[in-house]
Amino acid sequence: MREAAALPLAVITAWEGLVDRAGVRAGHKVLVHGGAGGVGSVAVQVAAAKGAEVFATVSAARTPLVRRLGAVPIDYTSVPVERYVAEHTGGVGFDIVFDTVGGSVLDASFEAVRTYTGHVVSALGWGTHALAPLSFRGATYSGVFTLLPMLTGQGREHHGEILREAAALVDDGKLRPLLDGTRYTLADVADAHRSVENGTANGKVVVDIEP
């Protein structure tokens, strides 16, 4: 039940970005920024299930984790954008770059995407960014705001379609959310929020509501 609670928002975010906006498919090279996070880890699995070759930026300590999920890990703390683009794409860039971090990482995404046909997707494109690197590549950008159908009702049925597709991947053993190991109750909600805010959570944080 904890995994079931953790999956919907993350998988809808990943699906809207990768499938709905970017049209991920076999043959694509996909870069997921924050591949060990709640949304990033799901995005890695969705892209892999669609047949893409997946790469993910992570810290050195989390490289084994994303490798198990099906992605080639890239240590963002020591490998600059130009180097991993050259190493993994021959310098042409990734077909899809999925940003789950925002800020300077979104700026780096504009430099890592493929010329003409590349697509950058971000779930955190809320800052002020220079579009010149993206424009010079003739690439495209999409923002993902998963809460919009929940707030407006428009497109809400599609969320049900996504969850049915995700459930099939779960049943096939191709998708499983990463859960933070700490158990929280309603009395610990402030601690749960802090673990997300300060980045110490490893995976999705779940709060158990006891009857």
Side-chain angles (χ1 to χ4, degrees):
M1 292 303 294
R2 299 179 78 241
E3 289 184 347
L7 189 60
L9 190 60
V11 77
I12 289 171
T13 303
W15 197 281
E16 285 190 353
L18 290 171
V19 181
D20 294 345
R21 306 288 194 279
V24 64
R25 56 177 169 77
H28 278 163
K29 286 193 173 185
V30 176
L31 173 64
V32 178
H33 285 302
V39 173
S41 61
V42 170
V44 165
Q45 294 174 80
V46 169
K50 291 294 182 178
E53 185 180 2
V54 189
F55 304 81
T57 58
V58 288
S59 62
R62 296 185 177 182
T63 56
L65 170 61
V66 298
R67 190 175 282 114
R68 288 197 301 272
L69 294 176
V72 175
I74 299 171
D75 181 359
Y76 71 88
T77 65
S78 62
V79 183
V81 176
E82 311 83 50
R83 182 171 146 196
Y84 64 68
V85 169
E87 180 178 349
H88 298 298
T89 74
V92 301
F94 296 90
D95 298 289
I96 301 170
V97 182
F98 194 121
D99 162 47
T100 70
V101 181
S104 62
V105 175
L106 179 52
D107 293 321
S109 301
F110 296 154
E111 299 178 8
V113 72
R114 189 181 185 97
T115 301
Y116 295 131
T117 58
H119 197 111
V120 175
V121 183
S122 180
L124 288 171
W126 302 337
T128 301
H129 301 275
L131 295 179
L134 186 72
S135 298
F136 290 151
R137 285 166 174 77
T140 55
Y141 168 81
S142 291
V144 175
F145 184 48
T146 304
L147 295 179
L148 194 59
M150 300 180 190
L151 296 172
T152 66
Q154 184 177 357
R156 191 178 297 171
E157 297 83 1
H158 182 51
H159 281 187
E161 296 169 356
I162 293 172
L163 291 177
R164 283 189 288 274
E165 296 263 12
L169 292 180
V170 172
D171 290 341
D172 289 341
K174 296 179 179 179
L175 177 61
R176 185 173 185 177
L178 297 179
L179 299 187
D180 182 76
T182 305
R183 302 295 291 256
Y184 297 100
T185 68
L186 282 177
D188 309 312
V189 164
D191 293 331
H193 273 281
R194 273 189 290 270
S195 72
V196 174
E197 185 177 3
N198 62 28
T200 58
N202 289 307
K204 295 292 289 183
V205 171
V206 176
V207 176
D208 293 325
I209 301 177
E210 301 295 338

